[in-house]
Amino acid sequence: MDPYVMMTLLSTAISQTSSTGDSKNYEYNEVFQFFLINLNNSDPISHQSLIVEVWDKNTFTHDILVGKHVVQGLPNKPSVNQQLLLSGEGSGSVYDTIAFKPVTIY
């Protein structure tokens, strides 16, 4: 299996293909950054969903979705560690840390 992780937030998808580990326990140890601009607070982060998908990369056929987890309503905290259980064809989980860092735009 040649797995990769895809994360989607507000129609922005980011994927990562480099991994280490054995055939069952892959590690990515990567940072995914999403930049959100909310000028009038009409759509707070707590109303957003983060979609986490694990895919199996195939060279000659379509990639296969191994599992998926949707985080409904992102926590309004500086950092959250959590285990996401995957649903779908494959089984397993993804451990992640979601962190928010405010950025001032001039």
Side-chain angles (χ1 to χ4, degrees):
M1 188 160 102
D2 189 13
Y4 63 95
V5 175
M6 180 174 289
M7 294 187 168
T8 306
L9 179 65
L10 293 175
S11 301
T12 301
I14 299 176
S15 64
Q16 182 57 255
T17 57
S18 61
S19 65
T20 60
D22 59 33
S23 63
K24 291 186 179 182
N25 298 304
Y26 294 94
E27 292 185 26
Y28 293 90
N29 296 322
E30 299 287 339
V31 174
F32 295 86
Q33 293 183 341
F34 294 92
F35 296 95
L36 307 175
I37 298 174
N38 189 359
L39 300 176
N40 59 9
N41 289 328
S42 62
D43 205 7
I45 193 69
S46 61
H47 294 162
Q48 304 303 325
S49 296
L50 176 68
I51 301 169
V52 180
E53 298 173 322
V54 176
W55 290 83
D56 181 13
K57 179 75 175 167
N58 290 310
T59 304
F60 301 107
T61 61
H62 295 290
D63 293 356
I64 298 170
L65 179 63
V66 175
K68 175 180 179 177
H69 187 96
V70 178
V71 180
Q72 298 284 352
L74 296 177
N76 193 11
K77 298 177 183 177
S79 182
V80 176
N81 295 316
Q82 57 192 354
Q83 177 184 9
L84 307 177
L85 299 176
L86 300 175
S87 63
E89 293 277 332
S91 62
S93 60
V94 173
Y95 293 90
D96 75 343
T97 300
I98 298 175
F100 298 97
K101 180 179 177 183
V103 176
T104 303
I105 298 176
Y106 297 97

